[in-house]
């Protein structure tokens, strides 16, 4: 009896170490129910880490892989790096304590011991605005050597339509060890989350699914339904899913450009753009977008250039997208023009003026400066001889763009000649407008529609609101 018990235990252990055939729906369902599916998330940044934590929270053993050694060390020491993502710190602590999640830089060990490989890698632009897929290509080349047979690779990164079919499959299959649809499988489930609201979006927003074949699409739907419990929209293939993802984001870039251009015209006409938009949104088919200092972040600008890159490659034209990019990229220059106009009103030159930027994050309430329009504004102001100061509640006592950020807004405001609101952080909406009257020259430039022009006028500020006229 004892011998038989040991044999059974050995059999169970050997079975638990067996690879799951990720092309077999029954195998996948069984592995989810028994929580034996092993997950590896490569790239555990803003999206990848919450993704890994979500899989771990569902009870699946998950390992995160990243080349950032400090990030890995902090995670394994129990330090949660995304303080601006509500809800995830508790999940992080829970899965760390339950030993469901760990992080490593050792991709050679993590990948072969996993059944499901998720890629959440950056796809930035180079200096010529060409999308850079080097991280995906490098990892795909690595997978060619270390991916275990019958594994499933899911790409969550935002990529151009056709990249999976035309490049990823070929790279992974390069050494003839792996053959797509025979002994390895691939698909996409593009991330669909707004920084600062990722937990809400992961558990509420529908996800797009595309597989190398219909069976793999079904497998991905089963897995993501198990982990996230949201609607999964099946696309006919990977490239269609990626086309949908880009279309939704580029739609926003185009419409922001439209409103930015209108706001400049409305300003000259003495029309308040915000009042126009608030009334326009009452119409059932109008989707509101707001003007601003520019469009930043790792998504919208890059997504437009991804489509433009695709069009260039296949000989198509996307004139609206090209025009929209030009408009949005000029907005930081227009913000500086508003400042120069306000300085002129009070007979002050910009050289040696102390200019305070409120907010440098590319969007409100997150700690992220990727492609932020604030950088362009800073460069332009410095080239004109201004002395630039930064206050951002997410970057206190940091050095950004060569500038030491300020610690306390109230202590420095009296030394400023003017203030530009670049980012609509929630904290800035609570500032008493009388604070700005303490500046040496009470010039306030609002690029985000936080300050009502009439209130600024009542407080005797020299005010410029983007698309809102002068006071």
């Amino acid at each position: 009896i004892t011998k038989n018990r040991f044999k059974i235990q050995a059999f169970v252990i050997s079975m638990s170490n067996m690879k799951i055939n990720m092309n077999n729906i029954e195998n996948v369902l069984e592995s989810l129910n028994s929580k034996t599916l092993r997950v590896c998330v490569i790239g555990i940044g803003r999206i990848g880490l919450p993704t890994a934590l979500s899989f771990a929270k569902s009870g699946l053993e998950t390992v995160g892989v990243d080349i950032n050694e400090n990030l890995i060390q902090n995670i394994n020491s129990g330090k949660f790096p995304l303080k601006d993502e509500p809800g995830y710190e508790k999940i992080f602590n829970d899965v760390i304590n339950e030993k469901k999640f760990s992080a490593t830089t050792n991709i050679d060990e993590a990948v072969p011991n996993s059944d499901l490989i998720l890629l959440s890698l950056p796809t930035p632009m180079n200096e010529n605005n060409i999308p850079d897929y080097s991280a995906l290509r490098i990892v795909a080349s690595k997978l060619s050597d270390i991916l275990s047979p019958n594994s499933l690779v899911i790409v969550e990164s935002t990529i151009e339509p056709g990249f999976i079919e035309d490049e990823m499959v070929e790279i992974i299959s390069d050494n003839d060890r792996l053959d797509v649809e025979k002994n390895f499988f691939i698909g996409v489930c593009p991330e669909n989350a707004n920084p600062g609201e990722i937990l809400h979006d992961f558990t509420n927003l529908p996800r797009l699914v595309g597989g190398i074949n219909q069976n793999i699409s079904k497998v991905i739907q089963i897995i993501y339904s198990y982990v996230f419990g949201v609607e999964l929209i099946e696309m006919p293939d990977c490239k269609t899913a990626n086309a949908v993802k880009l279309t939704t984001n580029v739609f926003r870039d185009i419409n922001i450009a439209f409103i930015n251009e209108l706001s400049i015209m409305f300003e000259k006409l003495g029309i308040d753009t915000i009042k126009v938009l608030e009334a326009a949104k009452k119409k059932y088919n109008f989707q509101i977008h707001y003007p601003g200092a520019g469009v930043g972040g790792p998504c919208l600008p890059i997504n437009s250039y991804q489509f433009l890159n695709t069009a260039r490659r296949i000989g198509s034209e996307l004139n609206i997208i090209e025009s929209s990019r030009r408009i949005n990229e000029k907005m930081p220059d227009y913000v500086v023009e508003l400042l120069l106009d306000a300085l002129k009103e009070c007979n002050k030159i910009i050289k040696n003026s102390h200019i305070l930027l409120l907010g440098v994050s590319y969007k409100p309430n997150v700690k992220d400066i990727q492609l932020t329009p604030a950088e362009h504004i800073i460069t332009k102001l410095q080239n004109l001889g201004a002395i630039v100061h930064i206050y951002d509640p997410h970057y206190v006592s940091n050095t950004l763009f060569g500038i030491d950020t300020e610690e306390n807004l109230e202590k420095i405001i009296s030394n400023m000649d003017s203030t530009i609101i670049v980012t609509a952080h929630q904290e800035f909406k609570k500032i008493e407008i009388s604070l700005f009257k303490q500046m040496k020259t009470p010039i306030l430039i609002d690029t985000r529609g936080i300050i009502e022009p009439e209130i600024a006028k009542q407080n005797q500020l020299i005010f410029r609101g983007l698309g809102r006229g002068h006071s």
Side-chain angles (χ1 to χ4, degrees):
I1 294 173
T2 302
K3 287 182 179 180
N4 286 339
R5 188 174 72 246
F6 287 147
K7 286 181 180 180
I8 291 171
Q9 289 174 342
F11 175 74
V12 170
I13 292 170
S14 66
M15 287 295 290
S16 67
N17 291 328
M18 287 179 63
K19 283 290 295 182
I20 297 161
N21 184 349
M22 296 300 291
N23 192 40
N24 185 307
I25 289 178
E26 289 185 2
N27 276 184
V28 172
L29 283 169
E30 184 180 343
S31 70
L32 290 172
N33 290 330
S34 62
K35 302 189 186 303
T36 55
L37 182 71
R38 295 167 296 183
V39 182
C40 174
V41 180
I42 302 178
I44 49 173
R46 169 68 70 172
I47 299 293
L49 180 56
T51 298
L53 296 177
S54 298
F55 273 82
K57 181 177 181 289
S58 72
L60 302 176
E61 183 182 327
T62 305
V63 59
V65 176
D66 205 286
I67 60 173
N68 186 333
E69 293 183 1
N70 288 334
L71 173 65
I72 298 302
Q73 184 176 357
N74 285 336
I75 287 173
N76 289 332
S77 299
K79 298 176 183 176
F80 182 63
L82 297 175
K83 300 294 186 180
D84 54 358
E85 286 300 341
Y88 268 109
E89 186 161 14
K90 182 181 185 307
I91 296 173
F92 173 81
N93 292 330
D94 289 345
V95 298
I96 290 288
N97 291 335
E98 294 166 7
K99 301 190 184 305
K100 287 295 182 181
F101 176 68
S102 61
T104 181
T105 57
N106 191 343
I107 191 172
D108 292 325
E109 181 180 315
V111 168
N113 291 319
S114 302
D115 307 293
L116 175 64
I117 315 297
L118 304 179
L119 305 187
S120 184
L121 295 161
T123 53
M125 297 182 297
N126 65 18
E127 63 277 5
N128 298 314
N129 293 329
I130 303 298
D132 179 3
Y133 299 121
S134 58
L136 281 168
R137 292 187 179 109
I138 290 168
V139 169
S141 181
K142 192 70 176 174
L143 294 179
S144 178
D145 296 324
I146 65 175
L147 188 69
S148 295
N150 295 320
S151 297
L152 170 60
V153 177
I154 301 177
V155 180
E156 290 203 352
S157 305
T158 305
I159 50 179
E160 293 174 47
F163 181 78
I164 297 294
E165 296 89 342
D166 299 338
E167 290 200 49
M168 285 289 288
V169 168
E170 183 177 342
I171 296 171
I172 296 174
S173 307
D174 183 58
N175 65 8
D176 297 327
R177 187 178 69 89
L178 299 169
D179 192 351
V180 71
E181 296 191 75
K182 291 185 179 178
N183 66 350
F184 93 92
F185 312 97
I186 193 166
V188 301
C189 188
E191 59 88 1
N192 187 25
N194 191 23
E197 302 173 356
I198 292 178
L199 181 57
H200 171 271
D201 291 351
F202 271 5
T203 53
N204 287 274
L205 299 185
R207 297 285 291 264
L208 302 162
V209 171
I212 199 66
N213 57 43
Q214 191 174 27
N215 191 66
I216 289 301
S217 291
K218 298 295 184 190
V219 168
I220 297 173
Q221 288 182 70
I222 289 168
I223 294 170
Y224 277 72
S225 180
Y226 177 84
V227 174
F228 298 103
V230 296
E231 178 186 359
L232 283 307
I233 305 170
E234 184 177 355
M235 295 287 103
D237 45 41
C238 299
K239 63 183 177 183
T240 305
N242 290 130
V244 175
K245 171 61 189 295
L246 289 183
T247 298
T248 58
N249 278 1
V250 175
F251 171 85
R252 290 173 57 210
D253 197 28
I254 290 170
N255 279 280
I256 291 169
F258 168 57
I259 297 302
N260 275 335
E261 200 164 43
L262 279 182
S263 70
I264 295 172
M265 183 182 75
F266 288 160
E267 188 177 307
K268 293 176 180 178
L269 290 169
I271 295 171
D272 189 331
T273 306
I274 300 301
K275 294 189 185 306
V276 171
L277 294 175
E278 291 300 316
K281 75 178 183 181
K282 300 295 184 180
K283 188 177 181 184
Y284 70 94
N285 60 353
F286 182 83
Q287 187 171 118
I288 196 165
H289 293 78
Y290 291 99
V295 177
C299 295
L300 269 60
I302 294 171
N303 296 161
S304 286
Y305 282 115
Q306 286 175 317
F307 260 161
L308 290 170
N309 192 53
T310 298
R312 214 167 23 243
R313 192 178 72 244
I314 65 174
S316 291
E317 291 186 354
L318 295 173
N319 295 320
I320 292 176
I321 297 177
E322 284 186 347
S323 179
S324 298
R325 275 286 83 222
R326 284 196 299 271
I327 292 165
N328 287 334
E329 287 169 2
K330 286 180 180 178
M331 291 309 294
D333 291 328
Y334 186 70
V335 172
V336 175
E337 287 179 24
L338 289 176
L339 173 64
L340 291 172
D341 185 64
L343 287 167
K344 184 178 179 182
E345 182 178 325
C346 55
N347 298 314
K348 189 172 181 62
I349 62 171
I350 192 166
K351 188 174 182 181
N352 294 324
S353 291
H354 288 262
I355 313 298
L356 174 65
L357 266 60
L358 287 187
V360 287
S361 294
Y362 80 89
K363 63 168 295 181
N365 309 318
V366 298
K367 186 178 181 179
D368 199 331
I369 57 172
Q370 295 180 79
L371 298 181
T372 174
E375 182 175 12
H376 187 93
I377 294 171
I378 290 167
T379 300
K380 183 88 171 179
L381 291 174
Q382 289 176 331
N383 288 341
L384 291 169
I387 301 166
V388 181
H389 303 258
I390 294 170
Y391 176 75
D392 189 309
H394 296 276
Y395 291 99
V396 174
S397 300
N398 290 157
T399 300
L400 298 176
F401 314 119
I403 300 170
D404 293 336
T405 62
E406 305 292 345
E407 296 182 15
N408 188 298
L409 177 59
E410 293 184 359
K411 287 183 178 179
I412 61 157
I413 195 71
S414 61
N415 296 323
M416 299 298 113
D417 293 295
S418 64
T419 296
I420 304 174
I421 301 174
V422 178
T423 311
H425 289 315
Q426 195 64 36
E427 179 177 314
F428 299 158
K429 296 178 181 180
K430 300 175 183 177
I431 296 174
E432 292 290 336
I433 197 166
S434 58
L435 180 70
F436 298 112
K437 295 170 68 174
Q438 298 178 25
M439 290 187 288
K440 289 187 289 185
T441 312
I443 295 174
L444 177 61
I445 314 296
D446 178 14
T447 73
R448 297 296 175 180
I450 290 177
I451 307 297
E452 285 296 326
E454 192 60 35
I455 301 296
K457 184 177 181 180
Q458 291 171 8
N459 281 269
Q460 299 179 317
L461 297 177
I462 300 169
F463 178 74
R464 299 291 185 271
L466 176 60
R468 308 198 74 180
H470 300 170
S471 63

